[in-house]
Amino acid sequence: MPHRAYSPLDRVVVNLDQALRTVFGRPQITERPDPAADLPEPDLPDAERRHIARLMRINHTGEVCAQALYQGQALTARLPEVRAKMECSAQEENDHLAWCEERIAALGDRKSLLNPLWYASSFAIGAAAGLAGDKWSLGFVVEAERQVESHLDHHLEQIPSHDAKDRAVLEQMKADEIHHAEVARTAGGAELPAPIRWGMSLASKVMTKAVYWV
Ligand SMILES: [Fe+2]
Ligand SMILES: [Fe+2]
């Protein structure tokens, strides 16, 4: 999308539209197929199904946050190339959103009620990172994607091997997040100071704990 031609007001409207789609509607996805589409629905005992549904709810909220971070950064990024790169990764995060949403519904659960709150705070953090400058903003993406990657590993450890659907979604997401981190790193992302990395990790722990229940 040629964002450069947009006025500030246009951008506000586009961002609001993105926010509403992400939290309440159907996000715009790419042409990629859902990795779980052709796999058999797993037969899971009730307690395990509920647990996995909640893990997928956490992953869905993580993608809401990722989408908001990318949109916030795109709003304040200085260089058009940086903005364009973010847009591409953000679109893939929409695929993740849609795939997680499918799995939550199939497992009989619901999305987090706190998503509007997570979207708003992640958008503000993304915009602040963008204002700090492109190298910090890209560094922020590298760190966020790395943390998501290890968090996905932690979830994969908890999902049984016969649950091919949920595993396929998380494995494709993991591959994409590794790629997003690499794109941001090669575009000039700086290594963030340790206190910021710890703060991000703490914020994601708070999010995962809250979203498991709400
Ligand atoms: Fe993602
Ligand atoms: Fe990502």
Side-chain angles (χ1 to χ4, degrees):
M1 215 179 341
H3 256 183
R4 272 162 289 175
Y6 287 5
S7 73
L9 181 63
D10 289 339
R11 282 213 209 122
V12 169
V13 172
V14 168
N15 275 291
L16 262 180
D17 177 61
Q18 289 274 12
L20 293 173
R21 271 176 204 270
T22 302
V23 178
F24 300 110
R26 299 294 299 176
Q28 279 176 316
I29 54 175
T30 69
E31 302 293 300
R32 295 193 299 170
D34 182 339
D38 297 328
L39 296 167
E41 194 61 50
D43 187 14
L44 298 162
D46 266 6
E48 193 171 32
R49 185 178 43 74
R50 272 199 300 276
H51 176 61
I52 294 175
R54 286 174 176 187
L55 297 185
M56 295 313 279
R57 186 202 287 167
I58 291 171
N59 291 318
H60 179 270
T61 298
E63 296 300 330
V64 168
C65 294
Q67 190 56 242
L69 282 173
Y70 277 113
Q71 297 309 328
Q73 285 177 320
L75 187 71
T76 51
R78 310 254 200 301
L79 294 172
E81 308 92 83
V82 170
R83 218 176 263 162
K85 285 209 170 84
M86 302 276 183
E87 291 253 327
C88 189
S89 295
Q91 251 209 331
E92 290 189 349
E93 308 297 4
N94 268 346
D95 291 348
H96 301 173
L97 258 182
W99 301 339
C100 287
E101 196 172 339
E102 281 286 328
R103 291 309 304 148
I104 294 169
L107 294 165
D109 212 313
R110 56 157 178 80
K111 297 186 280 183
S112 171
L113 303 173
L114 303 172
N115 282 344
L117 181 74
W118 302 123
Y119 190 98
S121 40
S122 302
F123 186 89
I125 293 169
L131 284 175
D134 288 337
K135 78 169 185 171
W136 296 115
S137 149
L138 289 165
F140 193 82
V141 172
V142 176
E143 181 58 27
E145 297 286 8
R146 276 189 195 143
Q147 290 192 10
V148 174
E149 184 197 340
S150 69
H151 158 90
L152 287 172
D153 274 334
H154 177 57
H155 280 191
L156 278 163
E157 282 162 17
Q158 299 173 66
I159 297 179
S161 55
H162 68 272
D163 180 356
K165 269 190 182 288
D166 292 296
R167 296 191 67 84
V169 167
L170 296 192
E171 268 156 16
Q172 184 58 54
M173 280 167 57
K174 184 182 160 186
D176 292 343
E177 313 306 12
I178 291 172
H179 176 65
H180 297 162
E182 195 48 28
V183 167
R185 198 186 59 77
T186 51
E191 181 83 13
L192 296 185
I196 303 226
R197 297 204 304 271
W198 299 332
M200 288 167 73
S201 164
L202 182 68
S204 84
K205 282 202 180 82
V206 171
M207 183 277 270
T208 54
K209 289 270 182 297
V211 168
Y212 189 85
W213 299 108
V214 189

